[in-house]
Amino acid sequence: ERKFENIKLGDHIELTASVNKPFKATNPGQFDYEKYLNRRGVFTMSYVRDGEYTITGSASGDIWYFISKLDRVRDDMMEIHARQLKSPKPELLGGMVFGDNAVPPPEEVKDDFLKSGLFHLLAASGMNVGIIFGLWYFLSGLFKPPLASRIVIGMVLVAVYSLLTGLPPSITRASLMLELALIAKLIDRKTDNTLILVMVCVLMLLYSPMMIADVGFQLSFVVTLGLLLFIPMLVEKTKPVPEYLSGAILIPFVAQVFVTPIQTFHFNNFPVYSLLANMLAVPFVGIISF
């Protein structure tokens, strides 16, 4: 049974507790919890037992009210998953669809995914943003509404989904890139995906400079840059092999080349069979997320 599940996003809480500094890493390569929290703007912490707090009010009349409602919608969806699937399946599904903070998977599952080079699958992928918009664009096309309305409604759906995930770096990057590309479409301007990637990177770092040290931020931008630079060229060179076939092999390969240095640095781990594991697993992630 989850503790503190009566606390909802946007609630005001009154408590009494001592304030402490997070613990530092004392050995090379050890996870540094203090740095991890500092990058998120958190510099002190307190421990509070279940029941030793009072909820004095809830969000109302501001953006937090809207976000708290979205958070409860996400919780309802997760409860449906939990009723139909046995652990750790709902945790894995929740991570793939809503981000790894939705329902954290068991530690042994996280460890298995880390050792196999599939750790990135536990976090909501930017691919989900494409699925959300693509599904809407296809279904709305059946009724042939004006193009502008299809794009604007699609942009709203992408924004709502992004808020449901809690805006992890990968989703924020993908959402902003798509929103900028769609704005360009609305005003009839050409786009350059690499330029949009750089613009989104600058915007996110202006908002939160410490985000540059976040492993999710690094993986999302570095891998996307690698795919944008090399996949079109490699697909062209492998013709007459069909694009869907060459892409199925080349995309995991290029992604793994760019993931490996970051993963090795942060996790002191290099799974030698991760390329094969990704080639086998990634296609199913799209199906599961869909």
Side-chain angles (χ1 to χ4, degrees), residues 117-132:
L118 297 173
F119 190 71
H120 62 95
L121 300 184
L122 296 181
S125 164
M127 174 178 60
N128 294 356
V129 174
I131 290 175
I132 294 288

Side-chain angles (χ1 to χ4, degrees), residues 216-274:
F217 179 91
Q218 294 172 8
L219 287 170
S220 183
F221 278 92
V222 170
V223 171
T224 304
L225 180 62
L227 295 175
L228 289 175
L229 292 178
F230 290 99
I231 289 300
M233 177 182 64
L234 292 174
V235 167
E236 188 67 29
K237 288 186 178 296
T238 54
K239 285 183 176 179
V241 177
E243 284 190 20
Y244 71 88
L245 188 58
S246 59
I249 298 170
L250 291 171
I251 289 174
F253 175 76
V254 172
Q256 194 60 48
V257 168
F258 283 84
V259 161
T260 297
I262 299 173
Q263 178 171 326
T264 306
F265 176 79
H266 284 285
F267 301 114
N268 302 304
N269 171 281
F270 175 65
V272 293
Y273 53 89
S274 59

Side-chain angles (χ1 to χ4, degrees), residues 20 81 133 136 177 253 264:
N20 306 292
H81 295 168
F133 182 79
W136 158 253
M177 286 185 69
F253 175 76
T264 306

Side-chain angles (χ1 to χ4, degrees), residues 7 42 44 53 67 98 118 136 156 164 202 210 217 220 237:
I7 300 176
V42 178
T44 57
Y53 58 87
I67 292 175
F98 293 120
L118 297 173
W136 158 253
V156 172
L164 277 172
V202 171
M210 290 303 293
F217 179 91
S220 183
K237 288 186 178 296

Side-chain angles (χ1 to χ4, degrees), residues 19-74:
V19 179
N20 306 292
K21 278 192 171 185
F23 63 82
K24 294 182 178 181
T26 54
N27 294 314
Q30 183 184 359
F31 175 65
D32 194 318
Y33 192 46
E34 184 179 48
K35 283 186 178 179
Y36 172 80
L37 290 178
N38 290 173
R39 291 166 189 155
R40 286 158 176 76
V42 178
F43 300 91
T44 57
M45 57 190 294
S46 297
Y47 289 97
V48 181
R49 291 186 178 88
D50 189 24
E52 294 184 353
Y53 58 87
T54 304
I55 299 175
T56 59
S58 57
S60 60
D62 55 18
I63 186 63
W64 284 105
Y65 177 76
F66 174 69
I67 292 175
S68 66
K69 290 294 184 185
L70 281 182
D71 195 57
R72 290 174 192 183
V73 169
R74 183 181 72 172

